[in-house]
Amino acid sequence: MGWRVHSPPPCLVCPLAMSEASLLTARLRRFRWIVPAHAEVELKIRFSPTVPGQFDQLRNFEILGSKRLYQLPCSATALYPSISQNPRYKAQNCPGNSEKLPILNDSPMEAEVHFSFENDSKGETFLLDPPSMRLQPKEKKKLSVWAYPTSAGLLGDSLVCWIKDNPEPAVFRLCCQGVHVKPGVSPQELHFNKLLLHRSVIPRLRALQGS
């Protein structure tokens, strides 16, 4: 007699099902199988989690009329696609008012990420590119963020990263300092005094930035 059983291999990692249809688990309706001589029966075991975590179960099989027990261990892990929320990144004096933020997929499955701002939906202060990206496991890409403050003072917003099949977005706090440019020169007055004819003098001026 031959058996061929398909089940999740040890340490299988599966994304959590998000739609109602995908939560329907095909339940076992038959408990006995007749296996002809030199034949085989295929049994499929479906793993459809609704909560994250580690799942371990034993499937027991027994030949009718015998006392021998066959055990099939099944182990799987369910989790959401995710990105790293600890970039440890701080930028100052951004050239061109822009920075490139590293976005890392720290999950063992593909992550499709869409970006938006919590408050600045019209892009009046902050802009970003690209608006979305697809990351393979452990892949890192750069997200460009520009800041164009429209008033003086500290301006802030939150970068919201929506990850497909994950109900919890990743949120990063952004801020920029708007300042008024205050140019000036020193000295503010030039005195040439009296000069002889056909003589010249070249004064020196210093350009100042007061902001």
Side-chain angles (χ1 to χ4, degrees):
M1 179 183 70
W3 288 84
R4 186 173 64 185
V5 179
H6 294 271
S7 66
C11 299
L12 178 71
V13 177
C14 298
L16 282 167
M18 295 300 296
S19 63
E20 183 177 355
S22 63
L23 296 179
L24 298 178
T25 304
R27 299 188 178 277
L28 189 63
R29 299 181 181 274
R30 297 177 56 192
F31 299 90
R32 294 185 180 183
W33 296 267
I34 298 177
V35 185
H38 305 290
E40 64 181 24
V41 170
E42 184 179 87
L43 175 62
K44 294 182 180 179
I45 300 178
R46 179 182 178 184
F47 176 64
S48 182
T50 59
V51 294
Q54 175 73 29
F55 299 87
D56 298 283
Q57 278 191 354
L58 280 177
R59 292 289 184 264
N60 298 321
F61 300 90
E62 182 180 353
I63 300 176
L64 186 63
S66 71
K67 295 183 179 180
R68 187 172 181 180
L69 183 67
Y70 299 88
Q71 290 187 328
L72 176 66
C74 300
S75 177
T77 301
L79 45 76
Y80 292 118
S82 63
I83 61 174
S84 174
Q85 299 192 44
N86 187 26
R88 297 180 181 178
Y89 188 81
K90 183 178 181 182
Q92 293 180 345
N93 301 325
C94 309
N97 288 13
S98 67
E99 277 298 333
K100 294 185 180 296
L101 307 180
I103 306 298
L104 170 65
N105 178 6
D106 60 357
S107 68
M109 63 191 66
E110 183 182 82
E112 182 179 335
V113 190
H114 297 262
F115 305 100
S116 64
F117 296 110
E118 184 177 13
N119 301 313
D120 191 7
S121 59
K122 297 182 180 180
E124 296 178 350
T125 301
F126 295 98
L127 297 173
L128 58 82
D129 186 70
S132 64
M133 62 177 62
R134 190 183 299 269
L135 299 169
Q136 298 302 317
K138 308 306 177 183
E139 183 181 7
K140 180 191 294 184
K141 291 183 178 180
K142 297 289 186 178
L143 175 68
S144 298
V145 179
W146 289 267
Y148 296 99
T150 56
S151 60
L154 187 64
L155 302 176
D157 205 339
S158 293
L159 174 66
V160 184
C161 308
W162 301 95
I163 307 167
K164 184 179 179 180
D165 295 331
N166 189 334
E168 296 294 333
V171 181
F172 301 99
R173 184 66 181 166
L174 301 177
C175 64
C176 66
Q177 183 77 34
V179 296
H180 289 296
V181 179
K182 298 179 181 179
V185 294
S186 177
Q188 296 183 354
E189 294 184 4
L190 295 178
H191 299 278
F192 291 91
N193 298 321
K194 296 180 180 181
L195 295 176
L196 295 175
L197 293 175
H198 308 293
R199 296 288 180 93
S200 64
V201 62
I202 302 176
R204 292 188 177 182
L205 294 176
R206 292 187 302 164
L208 305 177
Q209 170 61 277
S211 57

